[in-house]
Amino acid sequence: MHLLKYTLLAAAASASALAHGHAEPLLKIPAIWQSPLFKSSNHPVGSHSSPAPVKPKLQEAFQIHEPAPILTNTPQICSITLVSRSFANSYGSPSYLSYDPASFAGTSCSYPDEWTGLTLDIHGETRGRQFDRLGTVWVGNNRTGQGVEVMRLDNPEPTRTGVFWDIKKDIGKYWSLFSEKADVVFDLPNIVDDTYTGALNVTLKLSASVDGVMQSRGGKHRRRPVAQSALSLKNRSADVVIPLSKRLRTNNSIFLIGGSAGNGTTPITLPQNAARAIVEIYASGTATEEFWYTGIPDRFYNQIPDASEDGYYGHGTYREVQLYIDGTFAGFVTPYPIIYTGGINPLLWRPSANYGTFDQPTYNVDVTPWLGGLTDGKEHVFELAVVSSEEGGGINDASWFVSGNVQVYLDASGERTTGKVLKVQSGGEDVDGYTEGKLVGDPLTNGSLTYTVGLKRGRSFGVAGSIKTGSGVEYVAGWYQSAEYSNNGFVNATAQTNDQKSYGWTRSFVLGADKVDKVMDAGLSLDELQTLADTQGVGAVQLDYNYPLYAASYLSNTNFDVQVNQQFDRTVRRASHNSQRNDLNQLIGDETTFVHAEPVTALPHATLSRRTGTVDSVLVNGAIANGTGTSDQTFMYRDMAGGTIDRHTRTNTTSVLQDTLGGSASGRAQPAQLAVA
Ligand SMILES: *[C@@H]1O[C@H](CO)[C@@H](O)[C@H](O)[C@H]1NC(C)=O
Ligand SMILES: *[C@@H]1O[C@H](CO)[C@@H](O)[C@H](O)[C@H]1NC(C)=O
Ligand SMILES: *[C@@H]1O[C@H](CO)[C@@H](O)[C@H](O)[C@H]1NC(C)=O
Ligand SMILES: *[C@@H]1O[C@H](CO)[C@@H](O)[C@H](O)[C@H]1NC(C)=O
Ligand SMILES: *[C@@H]1O[C@H](CO)[C@@H](O)[C@H](O)[C@H]1NC(C)=O
Ligand SMILES: *[C@@H]1O[C@H](CO)[C@@H](O)[C@H](O)[C@H]1NC(C)=O
Ligand SMILES: *[C@@H]1O[C@H](CO)[C@@H](O)[C@H](O)[C@H]1NC(C)=O
Ligand SMILES: *[C@@H]1O[C@H](CO)[C@@H](O)[C@H](O)[C@H]1NC(C)=O
Ligand SMILES: *[C@@H]1O[C@H](CO)[C@@H](O)[C@H](O)[C@H]1NC(C)=O
């Protein structure tokens, strides 16, 4: 075996890279299923003459997740099945159906107006050999638009004996779509043949609940939390959800973005009485961008012969998704790196997938400051782009999967909202990045490349606009955000490491017109904003995020060892001049930008997942023959009602070794307490 032919990314790609593109997978996948570790019986691999085994017990594959529904305890739950299908050769043939809330007739949840909770529930089973696949769920109607993405998911890779998984997602924010007749699409493209034998047997359910109860944290002097009945989703959720997608009724509406594929563009007309609007973005790199955080800066990439043949990709490591409204930059999001269950080394993710794998996180940009100009009843163009920090912002061709929606809250008057943009930070679209590094010889033979990709200054953007609703409420709405980024990379023929730091904050605020310069120019901390809140009626909600990632792979003739440490950290805080008021019942889901003129703002909440994973695996003929992965994950969660989950989980490839689960909301933990070996 010629060692140098086995570049690390090729090994990683063989496990999964092409599984997410639209092309069929061509690279070989690890022959891990041939390992004695994965044998369910003594029958030789691939023997077709062996008698059918007794249906084996499937192992649970899981992802630690926040409770769903978020916030409410739900005594009365009603479920309907939307799709139940064995996804085998399902490329280009999604499931689509007509949904009618009348399906809940005869249950306790007959009336959507009474629902206090809403979730999408996935149950899947798979056995054999298969990649992980990227699935999506879409909902829409002919009036407000088809093709609103409401969930993006990955499956665990199967084993010979089979695995199952369950994940529930809170979709209360999409209540308006599910409260009436809708067209639903569930796309889970899979291929089954003699080699890739695992069908994905998946059931997708919609669960509504009524009579939900929220545990309010109560006043300072109250010892115990107080239960209050939850307001209906109708009262809490956005009134209209408008798709930013291809808007198809019977197919996947995803925008494939990058290079020749261009950007994702949607012309939309907003209701004239829109009083507040948030753009939510779904975004993940796939195919040649699946491992975007390992990209080699262009100036080095262009000097490495055979880089692309050996499975390396260029355009550096920085990616951001940008939002433009009528060609004007309106905000950006820096994505959390999603690592699928086939990513880098599949043994990293068994049986414990990383946070964000079975239900990908999304990102918000508050576009309320622009509303005065968007409520004219005319069409406005919303565009989503993905850029790098390289010259020209280029990324690899057609390999980001992106979609979005606009969640609109209406003013009760029905009259037009007016106002204008008062201040916008110019040049927000320019990513001022740099690359440094040293290339010695050819890193694909006996040389090496050491590099850093970063942002020269913290990246920031801000906009403030006046709003006057038909009901006469007048205020200034602001959106302000800041991001820091760096990635130290190393590549040679047998090792690759990337140490990525990506963190920042986003802030929605409400204030009087005379405070705009003061609040936007001063680079105020949230504590300083609180002082203004107390004295001058400013309100703000801030999301702090931090997504560090360390990934290291080491290859030899006989071994492929990996370490991946990753964190997902989001904390929402607020500065409010009405901080005594408990607005819990006005809140929805994982809201991060909730600021009303009223003022109703999000209550503090936080999600922190910190996971380390290692694999030592043995290679035979360049494929993984056997090995052991370990994971160690802490999960800390605090919801807006003060409910907490505090969890520590350890696994190896075959077993759950520890699951310490505590906190006042542990009864709603997802998954529930795991059985420990
Ligand atoms: C969905 O789109 C794919 C790719 O464009 C196409 O091949 C397929 O026929 C479409 N399926 C349906 C049901 O429209
Ligand atoms: C999935 O469904 C197919 C078709 O019904 C069946 O043959 C297979 O055994 C199922 N797989 C699992 C893991 O249940
Ligand atoms: C949208 O229009 C199509 C074509 O007329 C129709 O089949 C579908 O049922 C409509 N969707 C809804 C939710 O009414
Ligand atoms: C909830 O919505 C209903 C209308 O569906 C309205 O009558 C009621 O006042 C609302 N309640 C609150 C607390 O906003
Ligand atoms: C996509 O958006 C980027 C960023 O604004 C821009 O540079 C590029 O020209 C756009 N591409 C197309 C095809 O419109
Ligand atoms: C790599 O190998 C070549 C050919 O044997 C040799 O000339 C060169 O000095 C080596 N480079 C390094 C960095 O070791
Ligand atoms: C690649 O780098 C690693 C870590 O520094 C080192 O152990 C290994 O020997 C290097 N491999 C080659 C082929 O230079
Ligand atoms: C892993 O595979 C290697 C090569 O086939 C073999 O020598 C070794 O015993 C295997 N280890 C285990 C734990 O099965
Ligand atoms: C995982 O740990 C369990 C319990 O200690 C042990 O029995 C099992 O052999 C371990 N599996 C691997 C692959 O190391």
Side-chain angles (χ1 to χ4, degrees):
M1 174 168 112
H2 291 285
L3 176 64
L4 300 177
K5 286 206 171 143
Y6 292 92
T7 65
L8 288 168
L9 269 184
S14 73
S16 106
L18 290 181
H20 302 99
H22 47 322
E24 294 206 11
L26 300 171
L27 298 172
K28 80 182 158 191
I29 60 173
I32 194 164
W33 298 269
Q34 293 167 18
S35 154
L37 274 178
F38 292 87
K39 275 190 179 157
S40 59
S41 68
N42 292 324
H43 299 304
V45 174
S47 164
H48 294 286
S49 56
S50 50
V54 187
K55 200 177 180 193
K57 200 167 173 282
L58 303 179
Q59 191 191 9
E60 177 167 12
F62 63 91
Q63 183 220 298
I64 307 287
H65 194 280
E66 44 280 270
I70 292 167
L71 280 175
T72 52
N73 288 308
T74 50
Q76 306 259 22
I77 303 175
C78 323
S79 299
I80 58 168
T81 297
L82 297 174
V83 175
S84 182
R85 174 172 166 190
S86 178
F87 288 87
N89 289 299
S90 48
Y91 261 82
S93 68
S95 292
Y96 57 92
L97 62 135
S98 299
Y99 158 83
D100 189 338
S103 308
F104 286 98
T107 70
S108 328
C109 313
S110 313
Y111 303 106
D113 287 5
E114 296 176 357
W115 294 347
T116 54
L118 196 61
T119 63
L120 277 180
D121 312 343
I122 297 268
H123 173 81
E125 300 184 357
T126 179
R127 179 170 45 233
R129 177 184 298 191
Q130 192 50 263
F131 293 108
D132 65 287
R133 303 291 184 176
L134 186 76
T136 46
V137 182
W138 307 83
V139 182
N141 59 53
N142 297 319
R143 190 172 43 82
T144 58
Q146 296 288 351
V148 175
E149 186 170 0
V150 293
M151 186 168 188
R152 185 176 292 194
L153 55 124
D154 188 50
N155 60 282
E157 291 195 342
T159 59
R160 285 170 52 83
T161 46
V163 301
F164 74 93
W165 79 103
D166 285 286
I167 201 88
K168 270 170 162 318
K169 174 178 179 174
D170 184 302
I171 54 158
K173 59 189 162 188
Y174 308 122
W175 174 86
S176 68
L177 293 167
F178 287 96
S179 67
E180 55 178 292
K181 287 186 181 174
D183 297 288
V184 173
V185 175
F186 180 24
D187 191 23
L188 187 57
N190 192 19
I191 295 167
V192 168
D193 57 22
D194 289 348
T195 312
Y196 310 116
T197 54
L200 298 170
N201 300 355
V202 180
T203 304
L204 173 70
K205 289 186 177 176
L206 179 69
S207 294
S209 50
V210 293
D211 301 337
V213 172
M214 289 183 172
Q215 302 290 335
S216 96
R217 60 185 86 211
K220 220 181 202 168
H221 304 295
R222 292 202 205 137
R223 290 267 159 96
R224 281 203 233 125
V226 187
Q228 64 182 108
S229 45
L231 213 56
S232 68
L233 288 173
K234 179 182 179 161
N235 285 78
R236 291 187 276 144
S237 62
D239 297 290
V240 188
V241 182
I242 300 170
L244 302 178
S245 73
K246 286 188 184 159
R247 296 175 291 177
L248 304 178
R249 186 171 60 84
T250 60
N251 217 332
N252 182 331
S253 290
I254 221 149
F255 286 129
L256 200 53
I257 290 183
S260 63
N263 302 324
T265 303
T266 320
I268 64 172
T269 306
L270 288 168
Q272 292 192 258
N273 59 331
R276 184 170 82 93
I278 290 167
V279 168
E280 181 189 27
I281 295 170
Y282 287 75
S284 37
T286 73
T288 52
E289 289 271 325
E290 179 175 348
F291 304 105
W292 49 273
Y293 44 85
T294 65
I296 294 176
D298 289 339
R299 57 186 259 229
F300 300 118
Y301 191 77
N302 298 333
Q303 297 175 53
I304 303 173
D306 298 336
S308 79
E309 288 78 358
D310 280 327
Y312 291 89
Y313 298 106
H315 302 307
T317 58
Y318 181 77
R319 297 293 180 273
E320 71 173 38
V321 186
Q322 302 189 324
L323 171 69
Y324 293 82
I325 302 176
D326 294 328
T328 301
F329 185 78
F332 67 95
V333 306
T334 39
Y336 164 76
I338 301 292
I339 309 183
Y340 303 102
T341 57
I344 305 180
N345 186 322
L347 289 173
L348 282 167
W349 320 113
R350 299 176 180 196
S352 157
N354 204 0
Y355 184 85
T357 306
F358 294 169
D359 169 23
Q360 293 192 14
T362 60
Y363 312 87
N364 290 342
V365 175
D366 190 341
V367 295
T368 307
W370 308 91
L371 278 184
L374 300 176
T375 45
D376 56 2
K378 300 201 176 100
E379 213 166 67
H380 295 275
V381 176
F382 282 58
E383 183 174 351
L384 297 166
V386 182
V387 302
S388 70
S389 60
E390 296 286 308
E391 190 78 38
I395 64 167
N396 292 293
D397 220 40
S399 42
W400 270 76
F401 277 3
V402 179
S403 86
N405 62 70
V406 193
Q407 290 160 27
V408 183
Y409 294 76
L410 300 176
D411 181 62
S413 73
E415 300 294 314
R416 185 184 165 181
T417 299
T418 55
K420 61 172 196 282
V421 172
L422 300 174
K423 192 178 176 81
V424 56
Q425 192 175 318
S426 63
E429 61 270 43
D430 299 327
V431 178
D432 200 3
Y434 70 91
T435 59
E436 288 169 352
K438 196 170 171 208
L439 181 63
V440 180
D442 180 358
L444 305 187
T445 58
N446 63 350
S448 67
L449 170 65
T450 309
Y451 63 91
T452 301
V453 173
L455 295 175
K456 276 188 200 149
R457 292 179 291 280
R459 194 153 155 44
S460 70
F461 174 69
V463 56
S466 60
I467 295 291
K468 182 177 184 190
T469 66
S471 310
V473 178
E474 267 189 274
Y475 65 101
V476 173
W479 167 253
Y480 206 2
Q481 60 181 132
S482 168
E484 308 275 346
Y485 178 87
S486 71
N487 186 316
N488 293 318
F490 174 80
V491 184
N492 70 12
T494 59
Q496 178 156 21
T497 60
N498 287 91
D499 190 358
Q500 176 161 294
K501 308 261 182 283
S502 176
Y503 58 92
W505 51 262
T506 66
R507 191 185 278 172
S508 286
F509 52 87
V510 162
L511 64 169
D514 54 327
K515 311 283 182 338
V516 171
D517 288 338
K518 183 168 189 178
V519 170
M520 285 192 60
D521 292 338
L524 297 174
S525 70
L526 198 71
D527 286 345
E528 288 164 323
L529 268 179
Q530 182 61 58
T531 310
L532 289 177
D534 293 338
T535 58
Q536 300 180 45
V538 172
V541 170
Q542 175 160 315
L543 164 71
D544 296 293
Y545 65 87
N546 189 13
Y547 310 137
L549 168 66
Y550 174 76
S553 313
Y554 302 96
L555 189 73
S556 72
N557 279 315
T558 53
N559 290 84
F560 179 33
D561 299 337
V562 206
Q563 173 157 14
V564 175
N565 303 342
Q566 192 172 17
Q567 186 172 320
F568 178 91
D569 178 4
R570 283 184 181 176
T571 301
V572 172
R573 299 180 289 154
R574 70 171 183 177
S576 168
H577 66 278
N578 206 353
S579 54
Q580 298 311 308
R581 189 167 141 194
N582 190 337
D583 301 316
L584 184 60
N585 219 344
Q586 298 288 316
L587 304 173
I588 183 93
D590 57 354
E591 191 63 80
T592 51
T593 53
F594 204 18
V595 176
H596 266 180
E598 284 306 311
V600 175
T601 68
L603 291 165
H605 58 284
T607 302
L608 169 62
S609 161
R610 188 180 290 140
R611 187 186 190 278
T612 60
T614 61
V615 173
D616 294 328
S617 62
V618 175
L619 295 180
V620 176
N621 296 326
I624 299 170
N626 60 43
T628 305
T630 63
S631 79
D632 186 316
Q633 183 176 7
T634 51
F635 182 76
M636 281 148 75
Y637 172 77
R638 181 187 174 88
D639 70 18
M640 288 189 268
T644 58
I645 292 176
D646 195 346
R647 190 167 199 171
H648 184 188
T649 310
R650 288 186 305 117
T651 62
N652 66 14
T653 306
T654 48
S655 311
V656 177
L657 304 176
Q658 178 185 347
D659 183 27
T660 312
L661 174 57
S664 61
S666 59
R668 295 192 292 125
Q670 185 179 187
Q673 175 81 54
L674 298 159
V676 173

